[in-house]
Amino acid sequence: MTEKLSNDFEIRCRDLEENLKEIRFRMEEAALRSGRKPEDVELLAATKTVPVEVINRGIELGLKHIGENKVQELMDKFDSYRETDVQFIGHLQSNKVKYLIGRVSMIQSVDSEKLAAEISRLSIKAGRIMDILVEVNIGREENKSGVMPEALWDLLEKIAPLPGLCVRGLMAIPPFDASKEETRGFFSKMAQYFVDIKSKRIDNVNMDYLSMGMSDDYEDAILCGANLVRVGTALFGPRNYKK
Ligand SMILES: *Cc1c(COP(=O)(O)O)cnc(C)c1O
């Protein structure tokens, strides 16, 4: 590494340490305000575009869960990660599932029977059980991943019996252009689904994780009931998509 590069790296890691402290503090406050224990709400670092060295520093600093969005990027980085829990949070095509089996502990973005069936098939083949979350298109946006809210029950009923996978909860990404208030409305709706589904006690459907909230709104998400927040920018700084 040149001196300049290593300086940039050190600055980035120092920022990360500060950011992590602040996010932890704010998560704890929000958890307590929502009547839960701080340890009941988990942080997943959304690491798209973040170099492995920076991610590994984050893991040293105590990050326990990381989430990647793209299969190719995950594959490129996977062998260099420190020992950690890796999850998949991006849009997933069925033909890429094979790359995730044995690498990630949970796929947060399951939104179709076809995708679930492929996860089931390959997990069985590998002698594993994959944890999944069902992604809900809570803003009913066109061209966005996630199952439409009105189709959620039907999808759950279809995928629950599949062997080789276990439904662990729900995930959502509200519309990017929604106001703070609208976003809180979406979070509350998700929390309602979460509670309703939980109360139905469907076999093989566990509502352990409600994954919602990102850099701009993780506190609101926690106040509405999220217990897994996915934070990228607020941890690592703005993303640089150029190489
Ligand atoms: C990028 C990403 C995040 C984190 O977004 P930030 O606004 O950078 O915190 C969370 N969830 C998913 C699915 C993402 O793709």
Side-chain angles (χ1 to χ4, degrees):
M1 252 193 264
T2 67
E3 203 171 310
K4 163 114 185 15
L5 261 180
S6 94
N7 269 341
D8 286 352
F9 175 71
E10 286 310 322
I11 291 167
R12 210 167 167 186
C13 291
R14 213 176 49 212
D15 289 349
L16 170 61
E17 190 167 4
E18 292 293 309
N19 294 343
L20 181 57
K21 270 190 207 144
E22 158 141 16
I23 292 166
R24 282 250 160 79
F25 177 79
R26 289 169 60 170
M27 284 178 64
E28 284 182 26
E29 293 271 288
L32 293 170
R33 275 172 61 202
S34 69
R36 285 173 297 164
K37 296 194 237 74
E39 62 267 30
D40 291 343
V41 182
E42 293 181 48
L43 172 65
L44 175 137
T47 48
K48 55 179 175 275
T49 78
V50 180
V52 165
E53 301 76 37
V54 178
I55 298 172
N56 283 342
R57 184 65 71 90
I59 295 168
E60 274 172 45
L61 293 170
L63 286 177
K64 295 211 165 52
H65 311 282
I66 69 172
E68 286 288 351
N69 273 71
K70 296 224 156 65
V71 172
Q72 187 58 54
E73 185 175 349
L74 178 115
M75 298 286 286
D76 290 344
K77 291 164 154 182
F78 191 82
D79 290 333
S80 314
Y81 293 139
R82 271 173 176 268
E83 185 81 13
T84 192
D85 172 53
V86 183
Q87 305 188 12
F88 193 77
I89 60 176
H91 177 67
L92 181 60
Q93 289 167 311
S94 305
N95 62 353
K96 301 255 175 86
V97 170
K98 55 177 178 283
Y99 300 112
L100 301 184
I101 306 288
R103 292 197 168 88
V104 305
S105 69
M106 184 149 81
I107 297 174
Q108 295 205 6
S109 43
V110 177
D111 60 0
S112 73
E113 197 182 351
K114 182 179 173 212
L115 179 57
E118 184 64 356
I119 295 171
S120 168
R121 187 179 75 82
L122 292 174
S123 296
I124 296 166
K125 210 168 130 194
R128 293 172 174 270
I129 292 177
M130 179 67 83
D131 285 342
I132 64 163
L133 302 184
V134 172
E135 180 177 353
V136 182
N137 183 352
I138 191 62
R140 309 192 78 265
E141 293 171 277
E142 266 178 57
N143 307 319
K144 180 131 166 192
S145 2
V147 60
M148 287 293 176
E150 62 274 18
L152 173 59
W153 282 99
D154 188 48
L155 180 63
L156 280 171
E157 274 172 14
K158 286 191 173 121
I159 65 182
L162 295 176
L165 61 76
C166 182
V167 179
R168 300 293 304 273
L170 304 177
M171 186 270 241
I173 309 169
F176 290 111
D177 55 1
S179 67
K180 279 255 165 205
E181 202 177 331
E182 286 166 338
T183 301
R184 277 195 292 267
F186 290 129
F187 288 154
S188 299
K189 261 194 205 153
M190 285 298 300
Q192 192 62 54
Y193 295 137
F194 185 76
V195 170
D196 284 351
I197 295 165
K198 196 173 202 163
S199 72
K200 291 288 193 303
R201 298 176 179 282
I202 308 168
D203 262 355
N204 199 30
V205 174
N206 304 285
M207 287 292 121
D208 300 320
Y209 296 109
L210 179 54
S211 171
M212 57 187 193
M214 318 202 306
S215 290
D216 291 334
D217 51 26
Y218 63 88
E219 288 161 292
D220 281 340
I222 294 169
L223 289 170
C224 292
N227 60 8
L228 180 58
V229 295
R230 310 175 309 268
V231 179
T233 312
L235 260 179
F236 300 108
R239 282 184 280 277
N240 180 0
Y241 283 96
K242 280 172 277 177
K243 273 270 143 88

